Structure formats: C-alpha cells, structure tokens
Amino acid sequence: MFINLRFFWVDLDGDKSKDEGEEFIIWSWKGDYMNLGAGAETGIYQVKDGEIDEYGNYIMENGEYSYLYAEVNREYSVDMTLELYHDSNGDGIFSDDEQLYKHEPDELQWWITGFDPLVQNVKAEDLQAVTTIDFSSFGENKDIMLDSFREFNAGEVEWDIPEKDSGSYIVTLTW
C-alpha cells in the first residue's frame, strides 16, 4: 500500500496565525485492499491543534505521538472524482483499456474510494490512481484554499495545480 499526503495551511480568518482548524491534509492511498481488491482513496482532513513532524506524524501537546491527528469536517466537502488503472501487462503505461473504474459522484465528498474485487493481490506500483478535487466547491473560500494549496505544494510532480488567474479550480493528483 502506498500513501501520498499533502499538507497545506490556510489563513481563513485573515489574522495570519495558525489557529485551530486552519491546517488541512489531503491524504491518498492506493494498493491491494485485503478482500476488496485493487483500490484507491483520497480524503480531505482538518488537522487537529498541535504539531506535525516531517513524516506526517501528529505530536500531541504532551509530546507523545498519535496517528489520530486529523478529523473529518464535512463543511469542507468538495466535488471529487477518482479513477484507477492497472498496468496488467507490466509495460509501465496506463491506458484506457486498463481502467478498473471511474467514480464521479453527484454529491460533495470529503473522502472518495473505489475498489475492484476482481483484481486481487496487485502491487501498488502497478496501479495508477487519478483524483480530481474541485476547489471551487469551497465557495467563498475557494481562492484562499487553492492559493494556500498551490503555495505549499508547488513543484510536486504528481499534482497538476492550475496557474493563478487561470479560471480553473480543479487540481489533479496522478500517481
């Protein structure tokens, strides 16, 4: 199982301080899910008050580590899509005929998942997950959220982030 995580800090109230509820993480997984088959998922979480180390571990106020450092906040649900491809012939190319599924829900998501139970015991490196997140779903905070995500994740090759003033709010994670 592979994990991809991206932190970004957002100054929603304009006071330039790291108040509780202003740090987010987009966390993605892909791989073989025991008995569920090949799968992928992506979620947007709000980071709890505290510090995060360079490995993504939450450090509680007492200095102890915890893996339960992020929480769901449905207020930050967005339009998301998820596709999964399996390089079944091992050529390193993910083509449309190798698509296992394409999930395009009609409702807003804080977490999107998909699995193919017919594809079992697959290696994560033989899968390609493609997630889109439409930051325009953040409403009046869409520019603040996207600008912050862009600032904290510029140069990350697996993320396609629209240029400022492009009119697009859709970011794509391909990995």
Side-chain angles (χ1 to χ4, degrees):
M1 178 96 39
F2 282 176
I3 298 174
N4 182 312
L5 51 117
R6 291 286 108 209
F7 291 99
F8 63 109
W9 178 76
V10 181
D11 183 17
L12 288 175
D13 60 9
D15 68 1
K16 304 292 185 205
S17 67
K18 272 194 167 185
D19 294 335
E20 182 177 350
E22 293 183 332
E23 191 166 14
F24 298 86
I25 182 171
I26 296 176
W27 212 344
S28 298
W29 297 263
K30 69 176 180 178
D32 183 58
Y33 289 74
M34 185 172 56
N35 297 328
L36 294 174
E41 56 189 300
T42 298
I44 300 175
Y45 301 88
Q46 190 171 10
V47 178
K48 294 180 181 178
D49 198 18
E51 295 293 321
I52 305 294
D53 71 12
E54 66 270 20
Y55 305 106
N57 298 312
Y58 174 65
I59 305 169
M60 297 184 296
E61 289 181 9
N62 66 4
E64 304 266 328
Y65 278 94
S66 172
Y67 295 103
L68 303 173
Y69 63 85
E71 58 191 19
V72 173
N73 184 336
R74 293 188 194 310
E75 176 184 345
Y76 296 107
S77 294
V78 295
D79 283 319
M80 298 172 79
T81 66
L82 179 63
E83 299 173 56
L84 188 66
Y85 298 85
H86 178 222
D87 181 18
S88 56
N89 60 14
D91 64 3
I93 299 170
F94 296 94
S95 61
D96 287 345
D97 63 333
E98 295 177 309
Q99 186 179 60
L100 298 179
Y101 61 80
K102 184 173 186 173
H103 184 40
E104 299 176 302
D106 293 330
E107 63 279 346
L108 299 178
Q109 308 286 306
W110 66 268
W111 178 53
I112 191 167
T113 65
F115 308 96
D116 187 334
L118 299 178
V119 180
Q120 296 284 331
N121 302 315
V122 66
K123 295 178 183 176
E125 58 266 18
D126 293 333
L127 297 172
Q128 180 183 62
V130 180
T131 304
T132 65
I133 301 169
D134 186 348
F135 275 69
S136 69
S137 303
F138 286 118
E140 66 184 39
N141 292 323
K142 64 185 177 188
D143 290 310
I144 295 169
M145 296 291 277
L146 182 56
D147 288 347
S148 294
F149 185 80
R150 186 183 291 114
E151 176 186 344
F152 280 82
N153 296 290
E156 297 295 334
V157 296
E158 65 273 352
W159 284 95
D160 180 17
I161 305 170
E163 296 291 324
K164 191 169 181 72
D165 301 324
S166 70
S168 176
Y169 287 88
I170 298 175
V171 299
T172 304
L173 169 62
T174 304
W175 67 303

